[in-house]
Amino acid sequence: MIKFLMGKFIPSYNERYLKTMSPMVKRINELEDKYASMPDDILAHQTNILKEELSSGTTNEHLIPSSFAIVRETSKRTIGLRHFDVQLMGGYVLHKGKISEMKTGEGKTVVAALALYINALEGKGAHLITVNDYLAKRDALWMSPIYLFLGLSVGVIQHEASWTIEWDNKEQFTTKLIPCSRKEAYSADITYGTNNEFGFDYLRDNMRYQAEEYVQSDLNYAIVDEVDSILIDEARTPLIISGPTDEKTDFYYTINNVVKRLKRDIDYTVEEKHKSVKLTDEGINIVETSLKISNLFDINNIDTLHFVNNALKAHSLFQKDTDYVIQNNQVIIVDEFTGRLMPGRRYSEGLHQALEAKEDVTIESENQTLASITFQNYFRMYNKLAGMTGTAVTEASEFKQIYNLDVIVIPTHRPMIREDNADLIYKTTKEKFNAIVKEIIELHNIAKPILVGTVSIEKSEYLSQLLKKKRVPHEVLNAKNHEREAQIIAKAGDKGSVTIATNMAGRGTDIKLGPGVLELGGLHIIGTERHESRRVDNQLRGRSGRQGDMGSSNFFLSLEDDLLRIFGSERISSIMNKLGMKDGEPIEHNLISKAIENAQKKVEGMHFEIRKHLLDYDNVMNQQRVVIYALRKDILQEEAVETILDETIANVIDTLSESYIKHTEIVEHAAFEDEIKKIFDITISMDGVNNKNFNEYKKRIVNLIKIKLQDKNDLMGTHFTKFLKFIMINIIDSRWKDHLLSMDYLRDSVGLRGYGQKDPLIEYKKEAYNIFAEMINRINFEISEFVFHVQIEKQAEVKMKEKQRNIKEEKKDIFSGEKTKQEKREPLTRQMPKIGRNDPCPCGSGKKYKKCCGANE
């Protein structure tokens, strides 16, 4: 009651913020006539004027009214759309680095142009990041006349291509895509692309070997379209670049043959709520007998247990045509939120291989992580971040807590008149689908267009079969026939159309209504199931009733739906039984609706904990990642290489002195001398050195090292810096890769410490710090040892030795019969440290030495 009364008399933060924007909107409207009277060339020149104001010290805050008014007038002339007042408010929210929640159909794409323009004026780049390639290209082409008219360049980043956009016909304001390099697309004033590509390009940049090969520009300003999808839904899946290991894949088939014989609830149990599987005693006995091992849980069988658990998950938790599809002899993941295929993405830690064994397709080698980052940590690197979506307010606390982003709900331009009917709940799935088919037939008979949303490919095809039996013409849109997406969506709003779609049609899809449809009540939405997230349901409903149009929606549920079955408990079922429901009879009841909403909240809360848990651990990795990537970048820029080498040498000497001189009662002279000889290839005497005078003696050691280093510098000349860069980068990359593997193992094992009453996260932080410090130490020692032991030969000397070698070989050919006795061989002198067979090959290929240059040894 108190909360209700406070809401009545005390304006909310959202209401107060909207009120503060009124003067700004008024000022923009006052400028409308000024810019409307300008000829095209004068209006286009306004960009240069604004840039000059910025360079003279004016902040872009002072340019908001004029820049927004300029964009609005340009939009009117080029694409025929004038920004409404509420759209100006949305643009202001985006410019201020907040999330603008605008209902579907309110023109978020046009709103983004306002904020992108003003933030691109500084010349540091502005990015528009969206959920898929289709939307990125569509929106960039649609908005590009505005930017090109005002003298700004536009780039587009996609999975396998990148473009800049140029005028096709300037008089008619039409544009075209021009293929370009990725670097050129990022160098544009405004760049459109997908979240995956921006994240992966960041990782790829930090794996490059030349500074000029970096493609991404500064992470200055970004608007994340469908921000809840990218920063919430996608945040559970980190971006990973991986490389194949030497592990054999045959064992996956062996394990799969054992696991597929196990019986659910007898040999293993499934906890669907937490997506976990556990072997029973009977199952353990079967596995041990089949694999001929005495104890599955022995430390030596830990890998086998991991294989078995993955195989169990593959068979019991992952469903074909729901979680993945089979195409071209490959297992391809289906995005649960968008319904789209994700080629190239693989489940980690052997789970994908387990699915491949289950489906009897070719198993690809297990991969080792080479680089990874979460979306949370990637997007938090931007100097200013903003977002827009139709469904953010339900996750407002997470946006604030994780990204420090406020959510502002923008009012609609016209009142929403869509009729959202209460859920209809049936006892069984069969009854539910029979009711759906009946409703489709009734509405189809009056030619009302219908969009039916399903949660999986399997369900969409099942409903399609039912409609075919009733001879109802319809289209099916799912990940299997996504090539016809644009064609199907173009007709989905026509009279009499019936479209069955997965979540592909639920976000960012603009369905235009055909002639006469509004008279029939607009587009009707049918949901066949509630999604785990309320936002996905709201996105589906949002395809109808856009911009004040008429529309309607209905959700059909059953007690056998996954959400109600797993999270609804017996509460919903008991309510329905008390009401004495008959077969085929639906129920509409507030208690039921409340129970469903509570189930969704429960799942959303669980997923938030998963995301937060992932972020807590990745924050540790992120600190290390920032250090390594910054070090790599400094080395690649070359001018810092020799300074970094000096610091590396100093760190090695300090580490040695800590070990042998400073903190020991007995000064270990011989050991210290041996280490200096081993690493720096110089001979020193420690006679008379003790803890007190060591610092003076250390200066003499450093001077000797510098003299030796200068000799190498003189010998190599201009190639010395490039040589150092090559050595440093290869050693850092090799050790970083090993470090990522160690961190994976640590992450897997640290959870067990909870049984010892220790916080796994704190333990992870401690261990991670120690492992990282050890890696840095190892990098310093390896760089120093390699640099000071490598032998340089002049090209003339190499050619002379090669010639002598050829002469000896010719002598063997000349003498017939027996080989002549050769002169006594000189002992071979190693010109660089011994390379282990499993060490990275010094040629920089990234392969192990035994698989590369050492293959013939």
Side-chain angles (χ1 to χ4, degrees), residues 703-714:
N703 285 334
L704 287 172
I705 290 171
K706 285 184 176 179
I707 291 170
K708 189 170 183 67
L709 196 61
Q710 187 59 47
D711 290 343
K712 290 188 179 293
N713 195 338
D714 294 341

Side-chain angles (χ1 to χ4, degrees), residues 503-517:
N503 294 336
M504 283 179 68
R507 188 181 284 275
T509 306
D510 190 4
I511 298 176
K512 305 289 186 185
L513 300 184
V517 170

Side-chain angles (χ1 to χ4, degrees), residues 55-231:
S55 63
S56 65
T58 304
T59 64
N60 59 15
E61 293 299 306
H62 290 91
L63 302 182
I64 292 174
S66 53
S67 66
F68 277 34
I70 289 166
V71 172
R72 175 154 75 175
E73 180 57 34
T74 304
S75 178
K76 279 164 54 181
R77 297 187 191 187
T78 56
I79 64 174
L81 296 175
R82 177 188 176 276
H83 293 80
F84 306 128
D85 286 358
V86 291
Q87 290 175 322
L88 298 176
M89 295 164 72
Y92 179 80
V93 169
L94 294 176
H95 170 64
K96 297 296 285 184
K98 301 179 188 297
I99 292 174
S100 173
E101 174 172 306
M102 302 181 72
K103 297 300 179 188
T104 51
E106 290 296 301
K108 293 188 290 292
T109 307
V110 185
V111 169
L114 297 163
L116 289 171
Y117 174 74
I118 188 172
N119 283 280
L121 291 174
E122 294 176 309
K124 297 178 181 178
H127 298 162
L128 191 290
I129 297 159
T130 191
V131 289
N132 60 58
D133 285 343
Y134 167 75
L135 291 177
K137 191 199 294 188
R138 183 200 74 178
D139 293 352
L141 281 169
W142 185 14
M143 295 296 108
S144 60
I146 299 173
Y147 308 130
L148 295 181
F149 182 96
L150 292 171
L152 299 182
S153 55
V154 188
V156 184
I157 300 290
Q158 298 219 316
H159 179 53
E160 294 179 344
S162 50
W163 301 278
T164 53
I165 300 180
E166 296 181 5
W167 286 118
D168 185 32
N169 187 318
K170 192 172 182 179
E171 285 69 33
Q172 295 179 8
F173 303 119
T174 58
T175 59
K176 60 184 176 182
L177 294 167
I178 304 295
C180 70
S181 69
R182 226 162 175 77
K183 189 169 188 174
E184 288 174 311
Y186 275 115
S187 299
D189 295 308
I190 296 169
T191 305
Y192 283 72
T194 65
N195 52 322
N196 286 339
E197 291 309 306
F198 275 84
F200 278 127
D201 280 336
Y202 168 77
L203 293 178
R204 292 185 198 110
D205 273 356
N206 286 288
M207 295 174 71
R208 299 189 191 281
Y209 287 89
Q210 302 294 334
E212 55 270 19
E213 291 176 355
Y214 276 59
V215 299
Q216 272 195 351
S217 49
D218 294 333
L219 301 181
N220 176 48
Y221 175 72
I223 297 173
V224 182
D225 189 15
E226 307 297 357
V227 66
D228 55 322
S229 176
I230 293 173
L231 298 190

